Amino acid sequence: MTVLTTPRLSLRPLTPADLPAVLAYRNDPQVARYQGWALPATLEAAAALVADAPLGTPGWVQRGVWAGARLAGDVALNTDSWRQQAEVGVTLAAWAQGQGYAAEALRAVMAHAFDDLGLHRLQASADPRNGAVARLLTRLGFRHEGTSLRSCWHRDEWADDARYGLLRSEWTP
Ligand SMILES: CC(C)(COP(=O)(O)OP(=O)(O)OC[C@H]1O[C@@H](n2cnc3c(N)ncnc32)[C@H](O)[C@@H]1OP(=O)(O)O)[C@@H](O)C(=O)NCCC(=O)NCCS
């Protein structure tokens, strides 16, 4: 199992014992506002986040993000079946936001994806009203490639979907 570490964080698989902490932040309305999971998030649904498959395994693979002993949130990589491209996702508990943890965690995932897994391209998708994630992705070097209008059915309304991309050839750690 690959554990990714950064100066302040450790990224490793979630275990069933972590799920109450995961539910606490995933059921926070501010954290969930632009995310796709059903509310309230349940132990049953969150159990799908527990997986020790290596990052780069086709499909979504989640990692918990620890700041010291405290679970700050989770990151994920959704790799396509040819193992060439992947989508990144990130969620932080409210207390962990505004400290650069998301950028630090995603940089580690991006370095792993490009340098170790040899992926060709990373992408991300976000609601354009989610200013924090737009700033985050731009800071990390992602290009806004376009926005599909009213293309996602999200929490009882049609929402826009902003698409971001970054090629390995454009990646500067
Ligand atoms: C998207 C999300 C992860 C971004 O978190 P974040 O805390 O804004 O991002 P970072 O952890 O990289 O922190 C950067 C912010 O901390 C500030 N900061 C403070 N101290 C810092 C430090 N030591 N280093 C870096 N940044 C620091 C930065 O100025 C920046 O603030 P700004 O965006 O207002 O300019 C967070 O808003 C979240 O979890 N939202 C809910 C889930 C969600 O919508 N996820 C997106 C799915 S696509």
Side-chain angles (χ1 to χ4, degrees):
M1 187 235 329
T2 309
V3 174
L4 301 178
T5 55
T6 73
R8 296 183 295 175
L9 304 170
S10 165
L11 279 57
R12 54 183 194 270
L14 292 160
T15 70
D18 301 316
L19 293 183
V22 171
L23 289 184
Y25 63 76
R26 285 197 166 219
N27 279 320
D28 177 338
Q30 180 258 327
V31 172
R33 172 70 184 89
Y34 298 115
Q35 291 285 49
W37 58 74
L39 288 174
T42 60
L43 266 182
E44 221 169 35
L49 306 178
V50 174
D52 57 7
L55 289 169
T57 302
W60 282 107
V61 177
Q62 223 81 21
R63 288 292 181 264
V65 176
W66 275 265
R70 201 166 175 199
L71 183 63
D74 53 82
V75 291
L77 201 60
N78 181 14
T79 307
D80 71 9
S81 52
W82 290 309
R83 299 172 193 249
Q84 294 291 306
Q85 303 191 60
E87 179 172 358
V88 296
V90 59
T91 300
L92 290 183
W95 67 264
Q97 296 178 15
Q99 304 178 60
Y101 286 166
E104 194 169 313
L106 276 184
R107 274 198 192 95
V109 171
M110 292 162 76
H112 183 59
F114 285 135
D115 296 341
D116 302 331
L117 304 177
L119 296 193
H120 161 70
R121 180 176 174 275
L122 290 174
Q123 62 186 27
S125 165
D127 188 312
R129 294 171 294 183
N130 190 347
V133 78
R135 290 193 298 280
L136 169 67
L137 293 170
T138 304
R139 261 197 310 275
L140 291 170
F142 281 83
R143 177 181 44 256
H144 177 219
E145 296 184 325
T147 297
S148 303
L149 300 183
R150 308 288 183 267
S151 57
C152 292
W153 182 248
H154 178 70
R155 310 233 189 276
D156 298 325
E157 61 173 349
W158 285 108
D160 297 346
D161 185 31
R163 310 285 308 175
Y164 292 81
L166 179 68
L167 299 170
R168 180 171 49 178
S169 56
E170 300 171 312
W171 156 247
T172 39

